[in-house]
Amino acid sequence: MAQSFAPLIHALIVRAQATWLNRACENLRTAPTIATADFIKKCIPTTGNADLVFLFYRVIDAAVGRMSWESLGYSIWIAFEIHQHDHETRQIEMLWSGPPPADHLAARRIDQALYDLIASAKREILLVTFAAVKVERLASALLKATSDGVKVRLVLEFAEASEGQLSFDALKAFPPALVKMVDVYFWPVENRGRNQAGKPGKLHAKLAVVDDVVLVSSANLTDDAFSRNLEVGVRITDIGTLVWAKEYFDGLINESILRKVSSFTKV
């Protein structure tokens, strides 16, 4: 029974309007301790939403013998406030490059969103890409970030490790002055699966993690991807997504699935 109670409250709070739910919870908190479930149901504020009333009735019935009406009122309202806070702090912004979306569709360019994140970085930047070409503006922004004390990590694809599936090492797009300041990781070919034709898998992810924000898109770090290709992505502010992205790549590094490029190799 304890496990079935939380879903009932969740089903109620995701449908309820704040003002109405606040009144209903206040009625619960001030109801007589000895009041019956039928009495409590009659105290629910009127609403034209019959489904909402039905859900509240189910919560009331489930609470009988398990908690006081006062406790139920507080529990529902606290759950509602937590839900509202979670909803407000979890933001997803659509991004694009190439043909712009219609005027009524809110979205920012992928490159601008990335540059804005890097410019405001305070602690760390993780960039993952398959290809990198003509990234002068990006390299300049990353170099400034490193000079401000921001830790920068690059996870890149290499021609040799991909056995020629990428013709130009992504690292070569970045100037030596920056490369010396950052940590670079690659996916060794011996750690990759192979298809039926014998070709190894590609390091094909496109991801940026900047402090508390995650940016995922189809775009490589190239001038074509930022300016001409049709690409889409999302900018995500959500602690669960952030933790997953960081722990996934940290795990790959800690388990040596991804390996650090040596200073000798970098220069």
Side-chain angles (χ1 to χ4, degrees):
M1 286 294 292
Q3 292 181 339
S4 64
F5 192 52
L8 290 176
I9 291 182
H10 178 75
L12 172 66
I13 63 176
V14 297
R15 293 168 174 80
Q17 194 270 340
T19 302
W20 179 87
L21 189 65
N22 187 35
R23 290 173 54 206
C25 289
E26 177 61 24
N27 289 348
L28 283 172
R29 291 192 294 266
T30 58
T33 304
I34 60 173
T36 64
D38 288 340
F39 177 86
I40 295 298
K41 290 175 183 178
K42 294 177 182 178
C43 296
I44 295 177
T46 58
T47 175
N49 190 333
D51 291 337
L52 191 60
V53 173
F54 173 74
L55 288 171
F56 214 128
Y57 282 1
R58 292 187 65 191
V59 171
I60 291 170
D61 289 337
V64 173
R66 299 174 62 183
M67 65 176 65
S68 68
W69 301 125
E70 181 182 19
S71 296
L72 180 61
Y74 281 116
S75 297
I76 294 173
W77 187 248
I78 291 172
F80 178 76
E81 288 189 320
I82 292 173
H83 172 74
Q84 288 293 97
H85 179 266
D86 181 64
H87 179 74
E88 291 169 0
T89 57
R90 179 179 299 168
Q91 300 178 5
I92 297 178
E93 179 185 8
M94 297 303 300
L95 309 172
W96 64 275
S97 73
D103 291 342
H104 69 281
L105 296 174
R108 267 197 301 169
R109 285 176 55 100
I110 293 172
D111 55 340
Q112 192 57 60
L114 179 61
Y115 295 143
D116 287 349
L117 283 175
I118 293 173
S120 63
K122 298 293 187 292
R123 301 187 307 277
E124 60 180 336
I125 297 170
L126 169 67
L127 294 181
V128 185
T129 191
F130 173 70
V133 181
K134 297 182 180 179
V135 293
E136 290 81 4
R137 180 179 176 184
L138 174 63
S140 177
L142 290 173
L143 194 57
K144 183 180 186 307
T146 61
S147 68
D148 291 338
V150 177
K151 178 181 179 180
V152 177
R153 295 185 294 172
L154 305 177
V155 180
L156 307 174
E157 181 63 293
F158 286 77
E160 183 178 355
S162 69
E163 295 189 351
Q165 295 180 92
L166 179 69
S167 58
F168 183 85
D169 290 353
L171 183 61
K172 293 179 180 178
F174 297 93
L178 173 65
V179 173
K180 292 177 181 179
M181 300 291 292
V182 305
D183 293 330
V184 181
Y185 297 87
F186 74 108
W187 190 18
V189 67
E190 61 268 23
N191 290 344
R192 308 186 187 199
R194 293 180 180 270
N195 63 20
Q196 293 181 340
K199 290 290 188 180
K202 304 181 189 71
L203 195 163
H204 208 246
K206 294 91 176 178
L207 172 81
V209 179
V210 182
D211 291 343
D212 299 327
V213 181
V214 178
L215 192 157
V216 184
S217 80
S218 60
N220 285 301
L221 301 180
T222 68
D223 183 54
D224 280 341
F226 286 164
S227 304
R228 286 170 288 279
N229 294 353
L230 197 164
E231 311 274 3
V232 294
V234 289
R235 181 187 184 278
I236 306 169
T237 305
D238 170 60
I239 187 63
T241 304
L242 174 69
V243 169
W244 188 96
K246 292 177 65 173
E247 290 189 353
Y248 178 66
F249 280 93
D250 286 347
L252 294 178
I253 291 169
N254 294 337
E255 295 171 14
S256 296
I257 295 173
L258 297 177
R259 292 182 192 163
K260 193 173 182 178
V261 177
S262 67
S263 298
F264 176 78
T265 304
K266 289 198 289 184
V267 297

